[in-house]
Amino acid sequence: MIAENYRDVEENVRKACERSGRDRSEVTLIAVSKTKPVSMIREAVDAGAVDFGENKVQELCEKYEQLPKDLRWHLIGHLQRNKVKYVVGRAVLIHSVDSLRLAEEISKEAVKKDIQASILVEVNVAEEESKFGVKVEDTEELVRKAALLPNIHVQGLMTIAPYVEDPEANRPIFRRLCKLAVDIKMKNIDNVHMDVLSMGMTGDYQVAIEEGATMVRVGTGIFGDRNYTV
Ligand SMILES: *Cc1c(COP(=O)(O)O)cnc(C)c1O
């Protein structure tokens, strides 16, 4: 089932790239494996998945230990400062940086481990829906300040769009995040790249790709429904 799902999603990603005149290599498909067992992740790996997304630090660490080291782990959920030390060095990208204090902690840990940490700034574009993420108007300031910290690289922006029946309803949100990234990129801030746009989930990743996503985070579409009661 997972192999088939993965192939379907991959095919949709390919088509969305084609529709929008983009090369398939511009978009990274992140398989969101939160709540799912290692056995299912192995199935996804066999189907070709390399990038995996987790929203809890402990779960990411446990899976990291159990699986081959060439997989790429993305932290996509809210990160508390006291858990930063477990993520830096394990996750290739932290998608959910929404405060300077958190960026400072990541920087401190990266310096301590003598490695470079890549981050995205999470933007709360659809303001009423999510409690995490910075406001659109505060994004540039956080990007600028985070970029000054040692051993940290701001690669771009991330947003979580609301759950909607019709994916078209989220198109303006994706468009807004893309425009924000372009606006910030044009300012040529040192150590700021703005080449990564992490947006789009199972319900709307094709629209997100049409609007410029370079990373889509697909859970249910690959692994099936999540059961939070077990
Ligand atoms: C769970 C989650 C996803 C995946 O959601 P699906 O709708 O299952 O594809 C993507 N991004 C974030 C931040 C998540 O927490």
Side-chain angles (χ1 to χ4, degrees), residues 32 34 55 76-77 158 160 201-203 217-221 226:
V32 176
K34 64 189 185 195
N55 67 339
I76 60 174
M158 175 269 218
I160 301 176
M201 318 198 326
T202 294
R217 312 178 304 262
V218 179
T220 314
R226 285 179 293 274

Side-chain angles (χ1 to χ4, degrees), residues 30-34 53-55 75-78 95-96 122 158-161 163 198 200-205 216-226 228:
I30 299 173
V32 176
S33 46
K34 64 189 185 195
E54 291 286 338
N55 67 339
L75 186 78
I76 60 174
H78 182 65
H95 292 230
S96 46
E122 179 175 351
M158 175 269 218
T159 200
I160 301 176
Y163 177 79
S198 169
M201 318 198 326
T202 294
D204 54 20
Y205 64 94
V216 290
R217 312 178 304 262
V218 179
T220 314
I222 294 171
F223 295 105
D225 286 336
R226 285 179 293 274
Y228 285 104

Side-chain angles (χ1 to χ4, degrees), residues 100 104 114 116 129 151 160 164 167 205 208 211 217 219-220 230:
L100 186 60
E104 282 168 349
D114 194 21
Q116 303 294 319
E129 299 283 342
N151 296 43
I160 301 176
V164 288
Y205 64 94
E211 295 301 330
R217 312 178 304 262
T220 314
V230 292

Side-chain angles (χ1 to χ4, degrees), residues 105-213:
E105 192 66 33
I106 293 167
S107 167
K108 206 172 92 186
E109 190 61 31
V111 168
K112 197 163 141 189
K113 294 194 168 114
D114 194 21
I115 57 178
Q116 303 294 319
S118 283
I119 64 162
L120 303 179
V121 168
E122 179 175 351
V123 186
N124 187 355
V125 182
E127 279 182 14
E128 71 284 2
E129 299 283 342
S130 160
K131 52 188 187 295
F132 299 120
V134 292
K135 290 185 180 147
V136 169
E137 59 266 33
D138 297 336
T139 305
E140 186 181 328
E141 191 189 346
L142 177 55
V143 165
R144 281 186 185 276
K145 288 181 174 163
L148 295 172
L149 300 170
N151 296 43
I152 219 169
H153 298 281
V154 184
Q155 307 289 4
L157 306 177
M158 175 269 218
T159 200
I160 301 176
Y163 177 79
V164 288
E165 289 290 332
D166 177 9
E168 286 298 328
N170 281 336
R171 191 181 290 276
I173 290 175
F174 299 142
R175 201 167 277 180
R176 185 105 195 264
L177 191 74
C178 186
K179 182 177 184 305
L180 181 61
V182 170
D183 289 347
I184 294 173
K185 191 181 171 77
M186 284 197 319
K187 303 199 170 169
N188 286 319
I189 306 163
D190 267 0
N191 191 30
V192 171
H193 299 280
M194 289 295 128
D195 296 323
V196 177
L197 271 185
S198 169
M199 56 187 196
M201 318 198 326
T202 294
D204 54 20
Y205 64 94
Q206 299 172 71
V207 172
I209 291 170
E210 289 167 12
E211 295 301 330

